């Protein structure tokens, strides 16, 4: 509301290293100021060595919201810089969520997924590729969920695959639950089956697997998750998809129309992902 005076006041606080201003106002300033002004400020902040981790993450997020190509190029360079620590590289990769997902970015993310040694980096790239904004040429979530050597990556791929339309999703998840030796993968598969039963019913088999899991552990956190899963399966309501997911998808689609830039892309992404999840659920219910 302060116009140019307000922007200048915020910019001065950011240049003076105010951690709250950097964390909470930098992306807003990037969206409101001219691209040239925002780029100059971000380049200055990126070169500083006195920023704490939260401040550096805020700078990288703001680079993602920057119009034009400079922001995405800087973030890709950050994510691929072997001289940087993994936390900074991962923050650079996450900043790309604010960029438009075109085929060129999708190809870069596919390269990160295939060539990167870090589990966290590969999982983040996989999540972005599953956003539905661009179609990667060689990533099949089900194939990754079966064949990838990293069990944490397999577990993530299974959860992502369960949210995408596909045939015999329930049977595929049950196969992963029974055939994969990794506890992380088994947990991911069973969790996805719980969500399906919560929205589509037919949860008798899922309750049986939860009962088996209860007998195999005395960990209080795990038992609480099992109890939560049983409650979710038991609370099935045939109206839930229409009254919850459909309305949420429509809400995010409406918000996308009234916003622009990174915010609009984020709302559109959430609406699109919910639409895919709805299709997946209705397909598994048939």
């Amino acid at each position: 509301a302060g116009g140019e005076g307000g922007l200048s006041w915020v910019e001065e606080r950011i240049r003076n290293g105010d951690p709250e201003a950097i964390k909470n106002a930098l992306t807003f300033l990037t969206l409101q100021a001219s691209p040239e002004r925002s780029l100059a400020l971000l380049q200055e902040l990126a070169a500083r060595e006195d920023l704490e981790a939260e401040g550096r993450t805020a700078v990288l997020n703001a680079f993602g919201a920057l119009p034009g190509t400079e922001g995405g190029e800087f973030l890709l360079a950050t994510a691929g810089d072997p001289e940087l620590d993994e936390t900074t590289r991962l923050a650079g990769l996450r900043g790309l969520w604010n960029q438009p997902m075109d085929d060129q970015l999708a190809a870069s993310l596919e390269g990160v997924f295939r060539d990167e040694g870090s589990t966290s980096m590969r999982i983040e790239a996989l999540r972005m590729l599953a956003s539905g904004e661009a179609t990667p040429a060689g990533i099949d979530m089900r194939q990754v969920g079966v064949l990838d050597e990293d069990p944490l990556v397999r577990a993530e791929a299974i959860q992502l695959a369960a949210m995408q339309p596909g045939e015999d999703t329930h049977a595929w998840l049950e196969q992963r639950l029974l055939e994969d030796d990794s506890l992380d993968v088994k947990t991911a598969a069973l969790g996805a089956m719980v969500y399906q039963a919560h929205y589509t019913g037919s949860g008798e088999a899922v309750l049986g697997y939860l009962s088996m899991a209860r007998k195999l552990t005395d960990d209080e956190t795990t038992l609480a998750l099992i109890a939560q899963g049983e409650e979710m399966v038991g609370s099935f309501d045939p109206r839930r998809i229409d009254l919850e997911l459909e309305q949420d998808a429509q809400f995010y689609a409406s918000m996308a129309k009234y916003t622009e830039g990174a915010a609009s892309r984020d709302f559109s992404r959430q609406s699109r992902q919910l639409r895919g999840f709805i299709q997946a659920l209705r397909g598994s219910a048939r």
Side-chain angles (χ1 to χ4, degrees), residues 225-278:
L225 288 173
I226 292 171
Q228 183 181 13
E230 291 169 338
E231 182 180 353
M232 289 182 65
V233 174
S235 65
F236 162 69
D237 186 325
R239 302 168 296 176
R240 193 175 299 278
I241 291 179
D242 291 324
L243 295 180
E244 291 182 12
L245 298 181
E246 281 280 8
Q247 289 189 4
D248 286 347
Q250 183 57 50
F251 168 77
Y252 288 125
S254 298
M255 290 298 295
K257 296 177 183 178
Y258 295 102
T259 53
E260 58 185 21
S264 179
R265 287 192 293 273
D266 186 51
F267 285 129
S268 295
R269 182 187 303 121
Q270 292 184 67
S271 177
R272 184 167 47 252
Q273 289 177 321
L274 278 173
R275 295 288 186 197
F277 188 34
I278 290 167

Side-chain angles (χ1 to χ4, degrees), residues 209-240:
Y209 288 126
L210 288 171
S211 178
M212 290 172 58
R214 182 182 295 277
K215 296 175 182 177
L216 298 174
T217 183
D218 56 3
D219 178 74
E220 292 185 1
T221 301
T222 304
L223 290 172
L225 288 173
I226 292 171
Q228 183 181 13
E230 291 169 338
E231 182 180 353
M232 289 182 65
V233 174
S235 65
F236 162 69
D237 186 325
R239 302 168 296 176
R240 193 175 299 278

Side-chain angles (χ1 to χ4, degrees), residues 43 50 88:
Q43 288 174 332
D50 59 340
T88 301

Side-chain angles (χ1 to χ4, degrees), residues 88-199:
T88 301
R89 295 174 62 227
L90 183 58
L93 189 63
R94 286 174 173 162
L96 290 166
W97 279 107
N98 288 329
Q99 288 281 297
M101 178 69 75
D102 55 20
D103 289 339
Q104 183 177 355
L105 179 54
S108 297
L109 291 171
E110 186 174 339
V112 172
F113 174 73
R114 295 198 182 281
D115 302 331
E116 178 61 51
S118 161
T119 295
S120 297
M121 296 278 288
R122 296 186 69 223
I123 286 176
E124 196 67 26
L126 195 65
R127 288 171 180 163
M128 297 173 76
L129 288 168
S131 67
E133 293 178 78
T135 303
I139 301 294
D140 183 310
M141 293 299 164
R142 290 198 180 191
Q143 187 177 57
V144 174
V146 176
L147 300 178
D148 199 274
E149 295 182 357
D150 190 328
L152 294 178
V153 173
R154 294 202 304 276
E156 184 67 29
I158 283 171
Q159 295 178 77
L160 294 171
M163 297 187 68
Q164 298 176 340
E167 296 181 2
D168 301 322
T169 301
H170 180 86
W172 182 77
L173 289 171
E174 191 170 29
Q175 183 184 46
R176 294 296 87 222
L177 172 66
L178 298 175
E179 294 185 3
D180 201 297
D181 293 332
S182 166
L183 182 59
D184 292 304
V185 173
K186 291 180 181 294
T187 300
L190 183 54
M193 292 170 68
V194 166
Y195 267 93
Q196 283 198 342
H198 177 64
Y199 286 106

Side-chain angles (χ1 to χ4, degrees), residues 35-36 39 43 63-64 66-77 99:
E36 296 79 14
L39 179 60
Q43 288 174 332
F63 263 107
L66 190 68
T69 61
E70 291 90 347
E73 291 170 355
F74 179 85
L75 292 171
L76 281 172
Q99 288 281 297

Side-chain angles (χ1 to χ4, degrees), residues 31-103:
L31 294 171
Q32 294 298 314
S34 69
E36 296 79 14
R37 179 178 176 181
S38 298
L39 179 60
L41 176 61
L42 293 177
Q43 288 174 332
E44 177 184 328
L45 293 171
R48 294 177 61 163
E49 298 182 356
D50 59 340
L51 287 183
E52 298 182 354
E54 279 191 333
R56 194 156 298 280
T57 296
V59 171
L60 293 171
N61 284 335
F63 263 107
L66 190 68
T69 61
E70 291 90 347
E73 291 170 355
F74 179 85
L75 292 171
L76 281 172
T78 300
D81 188 346
E83 300 298 321
L84 297 174
D85 61 89
E86 184 175 329
T87 300
T88 301
R89 295 174 62 227
L90 183 58
L93 189 63
R94 286 174 173 162
L96 290 166
W97 279 107
N98 288 329
Q99 288 281 297
M101 178 69 75
D102 55 20
D103 289 339

